[in-house]
Amino acid sequence: MRSVLFVLLAVAHICLSSCGPQQPVFIPATDPAIQYTGRFDFTDKAKPVFMYSGCSIQTAFTGTSITLRLQDDSFKNWFTVKLDDSLFIFPSNNKEGVYHLAQNLANKKHTIAISRRTEWHAGNTVFHGFEIDNGEKLLPVEKPVRTIEFIGNSLTCGYGNEGKSNQEHFAYETQNNDLTYGTITARAFNAAYVAVCRSGIGMYQSYGGEKDFVQPKLYDEIVVGSKAVWDYKNNQPDVVLIELGANDFAKPLDSAAYVNTYIQFVQKIRSQYPNAKIICAAGPDAPDDTSVKFQTHVKAVTDHFASTDKQIYYFYFGKLNFNGSDFHPNIKEHEQMAGVLIPFIREITKW
């Protein structure tokens, strides 16, 4: 009798430890099933850091729940989550950096992608990993075979594209990089999307006329506060689009200096991406803007390479009303931009 009681107690103990609620298992950022798209600083591989709009983390997982562990510098950033066929957003304002993204899901394979909606000046973000059901695992997702890199300013960032009008001022809540002309274009080609963009930045001078806040001087940077520079050799895009100039023309500009700086920057791009098609874009312009300076200056750059590099192209976005915050394109106007860019890329790539 005593031996039977002992067996029953042992079985009860096993059931309490294995049949009751299970603690989730932590999957670190180093897991090979996690795919990173965009610029990430892997100086500490267990804590990759990123700051650019559109940087995304993708994976698949089995089980019924998933929690994200992510820490923000400023708690100002917003993220888009695509979980299977659903989409939702969240602000990264949890000081503990714990975000329960989904619970009570069907017990099967799920896909998830988390992308940063907001731009660099909202601070750096550190990704630590995921928590999933005990006994479950991450699974790799299919990697795009194409990549498009977009180098630009506030338009590429998605500044104010969810703003209600051009009289509304910037707020992080109304910046949605996931619905910019660049992301729309990349999705049209099932291409990985990489953005190197900052509001106010220029090619030769910034919106305020500063000569240090310019893309040629900051392009190698991955995140603020790190000495790490981008690994160009192992991150080769198929297409690079440069959309810089609107901020340069906001102040009196040395035209020759702008064109020469642009030419040198394109030469740098070509040296690091020997096989990429490089698009130098002008515009978009307001309907009442009769100036052709932006177009003629960018055209001068592409004309410089006309006889030596047939994979450098001139492109003009046309005119927009700028109905987003602070006279930036809204989502509908980003769709218009993508609507003219997609056929152009299709023509030069034959995709």
Side-chain angles (χ1 to χ4, degrees), residues 178-302:
D178 194 53
L179 289 177
T180 58
Y181 77 91
T183 52
I184 296 168
T185 299
R187 279 195 289 268
F189 295 109
N190 192 27
Y193 168 79
V194 179
V196 185
C197 54
R198 308 185 199 216
S199 290
I201 202 166
M203 180 65 76
Y204 173 71
Q205 63 185 16
S206 69
Y207 181 78
E210 296 90 351
K211 301 299 191 296
D212 290 324
F213 187 59
V214 289
Q215 197 63 266
K217 291 187 178 182
L218 298 173
Y219 179 62
D220 292 338
E221 189 176 63
I222 305 176
V223 294
V224 172
S226 172
K227 294 181 180 179
V229 297
W230 187 235
D231 178 3
Y232 298 107
K233 182 179 179 180
N234 293 306
N235 293 280
Q236 293 285 308
D238 300 281
V239 176
V240 176
L241 182 134
I242 304 169
E243 200 284 313
L244 289 168
N247 292 318
D248 292 83
F249 290 101
K251 297 289 184 182
L253 178 67
D254 182 331
S255 296
Y258 172 81
V259 171
N260 289 334
T261 301
Y262 204 137
I263 288 171
Q264 291 169 14
F265 186 62
V266 171
Q267 289 170 337
K268 173 181 171 61
I269 300 293
R270 174 55 74 221
S271 69
Q272 63 204 23
Y273 299 145
N275 299 314
K277 296 183 184 298
I278 302 172
I279 302 170
C280 302
D285 298 317
D288 59 349
D289 187 354
T290 59
S291 170
V292 294
K293 286 184 178 179
F294 198 172
Q295 298 98 289
T296 55
H297 283 59
V298 175
K299 191 68 168 58
V301 174
T302 55

